[in-house]
Structures are given as structure tokens and as C-alpha cells.
Amino acid sequence: MPSPLINKPAPAFRLPQLNAPDKSFSPEEMRGKVWLLNVWASWCGACRDEHPVLMEMSRRAEVPLVGLDYKDTDADGAAVLARAGNPYQSIAVDSDGRVASIMACMASRKPM
């Protein structure tokens, strides 16, 4: 699905990483690089459908993939990746949905 956020800077955030809550991820770490931020959740049906595509992208090393685990529990997110494979270089945990909400607002803005 085309995104209005392509070629736009990611919003500033710092979130804990899945399976490593003592570490965090920020888009600042990817500054100057082309990368893909994929919002997903264990309970998301469309996410299950797109997962094989992400696994193939990861296998081909086409672009670094960063996951944003949206409104999920760490246990459920980790279980899905253990079962289906982990295509992500890093996974940020957006447990309250704050970051994804900011991105949705950015995507819905109309140019003036």
C-alpha cells in the first residue's frame, strides 16, 4: 500500500526494543539511511498476510527493516516472530500506540 510518509522524516521517538527492554530504538539511529518502518501486531490479520513478503525482503537484504510492535504484549509479539520468523533488524515496542498515532496524524495531513 502506498504511504504518504515515503521520503518524509520519521517522527522523533525513542522506544524500548522487544526482547531487550534495557535497549531502545530511535529513528535517529537510521539518519541518512533508507529504511522501512513496518507497524505490526500479533493480533493483526493483515500483518500475518504481509509477513512472508517482509521475510523475503529481509532474506534479500533489500532495505533494513525496523518493526514497530503496536499495542501488543511483548510475549505475544515475541511468540509470533518465534513461530513465523523475524525479518526485523530492530523492533520498537509501541505498547500504548502513541508513536503509531503520531504517524497516522502525519499521514492524514493535507498540503496547504
Side-chain angles (χ1 to χ4, degrees):
M1 170 186 315
S3 170
L5 299 178
I6 291 174
N7 294 322
K8 302 279 191 295
F13 65 87
R14 181 165 297 283
L15 291 171
Q17 289 190 25
L18 184 66
N19 295 328
D22 56 317
K23 295 183 181 179
S24 61
F25 173 80
S26 171
E28 195 61 33
E29 298 168 30
M30 304 300 279
R31 182 180 288 273
K33 300 177 184 174
V34 174
W35 55 290
L36 186 146
L37 179 66
N38 184 61
V39 179
W40 67 281
S42 64
W43 47 264
C44 171
C47 300
R48 281 190 293 276
D49 293 343
E50 75 183 4
H51 195 80
V53 173
L54 295 170
M55 290 297 293
E56 181 62 19
M57 287 176 68
S58 177
R59 187 188 69 74
R60 291 183 182 188
E62 293 174 345
V63 64
L65 303 177
V66 175
L68 185 72
D69 193 7
Y70 174 71
K71 290 189 174 183
D72 213 349
T73 68
D74 288 1
D76 288 345
V80 164
L81 296 176
R83 185 172 54 253
N86 182 357
Y88 304 112
Q89 171 177 307
S90 296
I91 304 167
V93 177
D94 189 16
S95 57
D96 63 3
R98 178 182 52 86
V99 171
S101 293
I102 291 167
M103 288 189 297
C105 288
M106 289 174 63
S108 66
R109 287 187 192 150
K110 303 270 189 279
M112 299 189 84

